[in-house]
Amino acid sequence: MKTLFRSLAVLLIAAAVSTAPAQVNVTTQRYDNARTSQNLSETVLTTSNVNATTFGVLFRSAVDDQIYGQPLYVSSATMGSGPNLVFVTTVNNSVYAFNADTGAQVWMRSLGTAPTVTDLNLGGACTDMSAKCGIVGTPVVDPVTKKLYVVAKSTNTLPNTQHTIYSLDLATGNTLNSTVIAATQGGNTFQSRWQQNRPALLLANNVVYVAFASHCDRPYNNSYQAWLLGYRKTDLVQASVTNLTPGQQGGIWQAGTGPAADASGNVYVMTGNGNRNGTTTFAESFVKLTPDVNGALSIANPTTDTFTPNDYAAMNTADEDLGAAGPLLIPGTNLITGGGKTGELWLLNRTNLGFIGGAGDPNAVQRFKAIVQNGSATDHIHGGPVYWNSPTHGPLIYIWGESDFGRAYKLVSGVFQTPAFMTTTMRSPSTGTGMPGNMMTVSSNGSTAGTGLLWSNSNIDGNANNQTRPGALRVFNAETLAELWNSEITATPSNDSNYLAKYNYPTVANGKVYHATFGTATSGTGELVVYGLKNTNQVAAPTFSPAAGTYATTQSVTISTATSAATIRYTTNGVDPTSTTGTVYSAPVSVSASTTLKAIAYKSAMTDSTVSTANYIIGSVTVIEGESLSVAASSGDVWRTVADGSASGGSIAFYDATAAADYVSLTVNVPAAGTYNVKIRYKSGANRGIFQLATATTVGGTYTNIGSAQDEYNAAQLYNQLADCGNATFAASGNHIFRFTITGKNAASSGFGIAIDSIELTGSGGGGGTVAAPTFSPAAGTYSTTQSVTISSATSGSTIRYTTNGVDPTSSSGTVYSAAVSIAATTTLKAIAYKSGMTDSSVTTGVYTISAGGGTTYQAESLTVAAISASDTSSNISEGGLSGGQGKSFAANAATDFITFTVPSVAAGTFNVFIGVKKSSTEGIFQLATASSTGGTYFDKGSPQDLYSASATYTEVSIGAVVFGSAGDKAFRFTVSGKNATSTDYDLVIDYIRIAP
């Protein structure tokens, strides 16, 4: 039996990690469904070549926000062609594919507008995430079908949201299928607003399983529960619905670790705080779920397939979640282990987990304290245990709790030997105490001595659970726990791993380490930092003289490289140059306005250098005193000025905000058109909040965020603190609106107020403004025939470039527009406009859906109105632009009004739904929902559709896929979710409903 399980475990790992010798795939979080966090096929990196001389940063790939999911890797051999790919997701609902060997972006896909935690209005402060909470759980890849599955949380009608599961094509990022996540069980309904998909996705039994917990355990009214939902990998039809804490507080969090699965397809999870009754409710428990032939999960026998510590009630009261770290299925055995906030590990037999027993948990194989408490600090386990069968010591697990040393425990005769067999020489964090501990990975060339490496991602100081703190990548000899290298080992920042991406495991594949970080700011940035063996035959990176910085006058910048006879190329548009793109350097570059200068050096028979970047801010500093500013608008809190001899100008202004979302809008006179670096000088204090700066031309205009959120908190009051908000471009001189919105406060702060001593604008101005963004004609939408799309910009003399592959064009990439673009199939069209002496326009995006008809069309005027909201009316109308000259008008009065049609004789199956509509200046926004009958349960389909248009147009909108499990009459409910700010009413005009296979 031991041999059988060992063979199954090896097959499980091989299926997820390796497809061919020396080509490793990482298709799921922690490498395999057993969640061992080990790569046994690393043939490049060893204990002898990972050191300060030979190992370091190879390249960095920037993304648009924080990275919570572990990077995944798919080899070129698996793809069939093209480069090796590494996949990264962000909380801004963005999915990136990068060339795994160069860092170049291959594609990027946005999956809807991501809400912030503040948007959710959770009923209390939640600082676990600094801002957005779109894609949080690690995706999963199916290398057979070449699909990536990912779950995104997007805005609906705030504070409500929706989770959607997508399957994306690995090569292009195109959406192959999507389903809005919804579920009911035992009278309980899945409520997306309160739920968070923190655990990684699991692909097992041909089903993608998605687990959910809460945001900060809020609200305290049992609205969030421990849902585990499954979707068929072929078409994302829901295959499994499980709620482990029905009607009760609870969640499957596991600090991001995904559910585990064994070779038989059984799925294992650990749950967090909540109640437990042993029959239907299983908080604070290990749970084993068995699949049926369709992948639907259930607990076969609670007595043998669940385990709850005997003191779970006390753990719950003390907020000591059992499920604060995920489970590990120990290869070659029937054992499962895991731990949580008590700092203990449990070892259980998977054939009989043990249910619940008496004091000391006699039904467990073992329960012991694995973390040693450091003074008064908490001793939680958040990183799941890591397994490695060491060639010298035999089976080991590694665990590194918060504020403790890293520890290795030997598994001997089916139990762990205590105390720890080995420990590290340093604690985590290195300075002070705090969460979350270390997330670790083992790499080795099988059992070859000298190849075992233990990689660790941890914070350097402070509490990284509720704050964004600096991080470090460390590597240890896995057989001795001697540290070999860390990202802080040199005095230069070249190896710096930036801010910690908490609960994120390093991905080691084919000689490189793909390390997710939160980037260089406390929110709004992210970066994939890739480490490996340094190429001694690499061209030296270019250097700039004078160095990057702020200058009052035009600068003549010399670019050079230490490699003799190398060629240099550079760009000034923010795009990375390559050995074939960018301007060849031949003379100093004149920088007369604020510019990002990038350069690369290359030489025959040598590896290209890394890209060097320098930001130049040109111009004088304009200081605008806070006390001189007038309030254009606010949420109602006090704006006051106080005389202060230590402040700039002798006075300082305060905005006495009292809560998150409070704001004050100030009128600021910008001296000239152009790009400026914006800094806010303030006085810190113990009662300060966090603000996000945004600008607009008028109070009622469109606001654009400038930089990331800025925290003014400090335990001490300090003058002349500078918050660098980044760059802002103003198309004209004169008054502009600077809006300061409170996004929250530091956990240690006692208030939300902010101080504004002065606003400092650094820049030359006079840059000619920004090129007008391109417009498309006809506008993006759904059409039944090929469209000839004209692209234009209101800026005379500007050049336009466009793309049709979903990648953003730039002033140096994309096709130069010269004639109308013919669109014969569904296409995402993107365009940018640029002109010498002006700032490039923003990118305009339009999705053109070309629908050749087909399916069954139901004319709205012929359908029965099954239900309608009180006081509203509907009527048939006759207009030439409508299909058949007629349609149905719904005269709604407000948001939440609805009209329900009965669509007769619909066949069972999966269909694409299209709605023929009229758009005009009186139309509202609708959300479509369907049900098996007018009295059934309605499920939202697709996203809200805005029917506003300044002039009357008749078009077809695509809703997406709808699944009907049985044939018969179906209910289609159109609910008004709001209206465009410019629309004068909430009406809807429905021309027809088309259902196509």
Side-chain angles (χ1 to χ4, degrees):
M1 186 62 73
K2 267 191 173 182
T3 301
L4 172 61
F5 277 111
R6 185 175 291 110
S7 299
L8 288 173
V10 170
L11 288 172
L12 179 68
I13 294 167
V17 177
S18 180
T19 58
Q23 278 296 309
V24 172
N25 286 337
V26 184
T27 59
T28 191
Q29 189 224 32
R30 290 170 56 87
Y31 296 89
D32 52 60
N33 284 355
R35 308 302 183 190
T36 63
S37 206
Q38 62 173 347
N39 171 8
L40 301 181
S41 301
E42 178 51 54
T43 61
V44 177
L45 302 174
T46 69
T47 56
S48 61
N49 62 21
V50 176
N51 55 60
T53 301
T54 60
F55 185 82
V57 168
L58 301 180
F59 51 84
R60 299 169 182 265
S61 299
V63 294
D64 60 14
D65 214 321
Q66 294 180 343
I67 305 169
Y68 273 73
Q70 180 179 339
L72 302 178
Y73 182 103
V74 176
S75 67
S76 174
T78 301
M79 296 297 295
S81 63
N84 300 318
L85 296 176
V86 60
F87 300 94
V88 176
T89 59
T90 76
V91 293
N92 193 40
N93 278 341
S94 298
V95 183
Y96 291 83
F98 294 107
N99 184 313
D101 300 308
T102 67
Q105 181 177 310
V106 177
W107 54 258
M108 189 276 278
R109 189 67 61 234
S110 177
L111 299 179
T113 302
T116 66
V117 177
T118 303
D119 290 335
L120 304 177
N121 190 18
L122 298 170
C126 180
T127 58
D128 284 2
M129 301 187 73
S130 57
K132 293 182 179 178
C133 54
I135 300 173
V136 184
T138 301
V140 67
V141 166
D142 183 358
V144 177
T145 59
K146 299 179 178 57
K147 294 179 181 179
L148 180 142
Y149 299 91
V150 61
V151 170
K153 187 169 187 172
S154 57
T155 57
N156 194 340
T157 305
L158 290 174
N160 294 317
T161 60
Q162 66 182 26
H163 284 87
T164 304
I165 182 170
Y166 296 86
S167 62
L168 306 181
D169 180 81
L170 289 181
T172 65
N174 291 338
T175 299
L176 302 176
N177 213 335
S178 66
T179 297
V180 175
I181 290 178
T184 58
Q185 188 180 67
N188 296 281
T189 300
F190 177 87
Q191 299 183 64
S192 178
R193 173 184 176 186
W194 311 122
Q195 304 280 171
Q196 179 180 206
N197 166 227
R198 184 64 187 96
L201 275 57
L202 168 69
L203 177 57
N205 310 312
N206 290 318
V207 171
V208 181
Y209 296 103
V210 189
F212 292 90
S214 69
H215 294 273
C216 297
D217 292 339
R218 290 189 173 85
Y220 301 115
N221 61 3
N222 302 331
S223 294
Y224 68 88
Q225 295 162 29
W227 291 94
L228 180 60
L229 308 175
Y231 294 85
R232 246 174 14 207
K233 75 171 189 177
T234 52
D235 52 15
L236 297 186
V237 171
Q238 192 172 79
S240 180
V241 175
T242 304
N243 185 350
L244 296 177
T245 58
Q248 300 291 328
Q249 174 179 312
I252 304 168
W253 180 55
Q254 303 184 165
T257 292
D262 62 23
S264 298
N266 298 304
V267 175
Y268 301 82
V269 297
M270 296 168 65
T271 56
N273 290 330
N275 295 321
R276 180 259 188 203
N277 63 20
T279 55
T280 60
T281 305
F282 297 94
E284 299 279 19
S285 300
F286 286 79
V287 180
K288 173 183 177 180
L289 299 119
T290 301
D292 66 11
V293 292
N294 297 313
L297 300 177
S298 62
I299 301 173
N301 183 345
T303 303
T304 58
D305 292 346
T306 69
F307 171 82
T308 311
N310 76 93
D311 53 347
Y312 78 91
M315 292 170 60
N316 187 33
T317 301
D319 188 24
E320 292 185 328
D321 302 67
L322 174 71
L328 161 67
L329 310 185
I330 298 178
T333 75
N334 255 342
L335 299 173
I336 181 174
T337 187
K341 290 185 180 179
T342 65
E344 297 170 289
L345 282 177
W346 281 262
L347 186 64
L348 307 173
N349 186 330
R350 300 202 306 266
T351 61
N352 185 351
L353 292 179
F355 202 49
I356 191 170
D361 288 342
N363 293 351
V365 176
Q366 193 175 9
R367 174 180 180 174
F368 69 99
K369 190 77 168 177
I371 304 303
V372 176
Q373 193 162 11
N374 179 14
S376 61
T378 52
D379 53 353
H380 302 168
I381 297 173
H382 291 118
V386 176
Y387 175 83
W388 186 50
N389 192 352
S390 159
T392 304
H393 309 303
L396 299 171
I397 66 159
Y398 302 89
I399 196 81
W400 201 334
E402 60 191 42
S403 308
D404 191 21
F405 298 95
R407 301 176 184 275
Y409 291 91
K410 288 184 69 172
L411 183 68
V412 179
S413 300
V415 294
F416 294 118
Q417 289 186 337
T418 58
F421 176 66
M422 296 184 292
T423 62
T424 60
T425 59
M426 77 287 294
R427 293 184 186 274
S428 176
S430 306
T431 304
T433 60
M435 297 171 73
N438 290 38
M439 311 299 122
M440 297 180 291
T441 286
V442 166
S443 66
S444 72
N445 184 8
S447 59
T448 303
T451 65
L453 297 169
L454 179 67
W455 305 86
S456 163
N457 178 31
S458 68
N459 48 315
I460 296 173
D461 58 32
N463 181 346
N465 187 54
N466 302 109
Q467 303 170 13
T468 302
R469 304 303 305 167
L473 176 68
R474 301 179 184 274
V475 59
F476 302 83
N477 184 324
E479 296 196 60
T480 65
L481 290 188
E483 186 178 47
L484 303 175
W485 181 92
N486 70 64
S487 58
E488 306 300 307
I489 206 165
T490 62
T492 66
S494 60
N495 292 320
D496 187 17
S497 65
N498 301 324
Y499 282 110
L500 175 76
K502 60 183 181 180
Y503 309 121
N504 211 313
Y505 296 84
T507 297
V508 184
N510 305 316
K512 295 183 178 67
V513 182
Y514 299 90
H515 184 55
T517 80
F518 280 179
T520 57
T522 54
S523 67
T525 66
E527 188 174 57
L528 178 70
V529 185
V530 181
Y531 297 87
L533 298 181
K534 298 176 183 177
N535 190 337
T536 56
N537 194 39
Q538 185 175 31
V539 179
T543 58
F544 304 106
S545 180
T550 300
Y551 299 92
T553 59
T554 296
Q555 297 297 298
S556 181
V557 180
T558 300
I559 313 176
S560 60
T561 173
T563 302
S564 176
T567 303
I568 296 172
R569 286 182 182 262
Y570 70 91
T571 62
T572 57
N573 60 359
V575 176
D576 283 355
T578 69
S579 58
T580 57
T581 63
T583 302
V584 174
Y585 176 79
S586 59
V589 180
S590 178
V591 179
S592 58
S594 296
T595 299
T596 298
L597 189 59
K598 294 190 172 189
I600 193 171
Y602 57 97
K603 184 179 180 180
S604 177
M606 295 184 71
T607 301
D608 296 351
S609 76
T610 56
V611 174
S612 299
T613 301
N615 292 313
Y616 292 86
I617 300 170
I618 307 298
S620 57
V621 179
T622 299
V623 178
I624 304 166
E625 296 295 342
E627 63 270 19
S628 71
L629 298 171
S630 61
V631 177
S634 77
S635 56
D637 295 307
V638 174
W639 169 265
R640 58 188 174 89
T641 60
V642 176
D644 191 325
S646 299
S648 170
S651 295
I652 194 167
F654 293 91
Y655 177 53
D656 295 333
T658 57
D662 288 356
Y663 68 90
V664 61
S665 297
L666 306 174
T667 302
V668 176
N669 187 271
V670 175
T675 299
Y676 294 85
N677 176 250
V678 181
K679 292 185 176 71
I680 307 300
R681 190 174 295 277
Y682 65 94
K683 175 185 176 184
S684 67
N687 62 349
R688 301 285 193 269
I690 302 170
F691 71 82
Q692 173 66 60
L693 176 62
T695 64
T697 54
T698 62
V699 172
T702 300
Y703 285 92
T704 302
N705 284 346
I706 305 301
S708 57
Q710 305 290 330
D711 190 349
E712 290 194 357
Y713 167 79
N714 194 291
Q717 292 191 359
L718 301 175
Y719 289 92
N720 294 316
Q721 303 301 294
L722 273 178
D724 188 342
C725 297
N727 292 348
T729 300
F730 302 96
S733 63
N735 288 340
H736 292 263
I737 305 302
F738 281 45
R739 183 176 67 185
F740 294 78
T741 300
I742 306 302
T743 61
K745 68 180 183 68
N746 189 292
S749 178
S750 61
F752 292 87
I754 58 172
I756 301 175
D757 190 351
S758 63
I759 299 175
E760 299 182 3
L761 306 178
T762 304
S764 60
T770 302
V771 179
T775 57
F776 302 142
S777 180
T782 299
Y783 299 91
S784 59
T785 59
T786 297
Q787 297 298 298
S788 182
V789 180
T790 301
I791 312 176
S792 59
S793 169
T795 301
S796 176
S798 62
T799 302
I800 295 172
R801 285 182 182 262
Y802 70 91
T803 61
T804 56
N805 61 357
V807 176
D808 283 355
T810 70
S811 57
S812 60
S813 65
T815 303
V816 175
Y817 176 78
S818 59
V821 181
S822 178
I823 297 181
T826 298
T827 299
T828 298
L829 182 63
K830 295 190 173 189
I832 192 171
Y834 56 98
K835 182 178 180 181
S836 178
M838 297 183 71
T839 301
D840 296 352
S841 77
S842 58
V843 174
T844 301
T845 301
V847 178
Y848 289 81
T849 301
I850 307 301
S851 168
T856 304
T857 299
Y858 301 87
Q859 297 294 335
E861 64 272 16
S862 66
L863 294 176
T864 300
V865 176
I868 192 169
S869 45
S871 76
D872 292 323
T873 60
S874 68
S875 59
N876 292 344
I877 59 172
S878 298
E879 293 182 11
L882 296 170
S883 173
Q886 287 189 306
K888 181 77 73 173
S889 175
F890 173 47
N893 296 313
T896 73
D897 287 358
F898 66 89
I899 184 171
T900 303
F901 295 104
T902 298
V903 178
S905 305
V906 178
T910 301
F911 301 91
N912 290 308
V913 174
F914 304 89
I915 309 297
V917 297
K918 173 188 176 182
K919 295 187 174 184
S920 75
S921 60
T922 63
E923 305 303 307
I925 302 170
F926 77 78
Q927 172 67 60
L928 177 64
T930 63
S932 57
S933 66
T934 55
T937 301
Y938 286 89
F939 294 98
D940 286 348
K941 301 300 178 183
S943 56
Q945 302 291 328
D946 189 350
L947 301 191
Y948 170 80
S949 174
S951 58
T953 58
Y954 304 87
T955 188
E956 183 180 79
V957 295
S958 175
I959 302 300
V962 175
V963 179
F964 296 113
S966 60
D969 296 352
K970 306 298 176 184
F972 280 58
R973 184 176 67 189
F974 295 81
T975 300
V976 178
S977 59
K979 69 180 182 67
N980 189 293
T982 314
S983 181
T984 60
D985 215 329
Y986 294 88
D987 296 346
L988 304 177
V989 173
I990 308 300
D991 187 358
Y992 57 83
I993 298 172
R994 183 165 67 88
I995 303 175

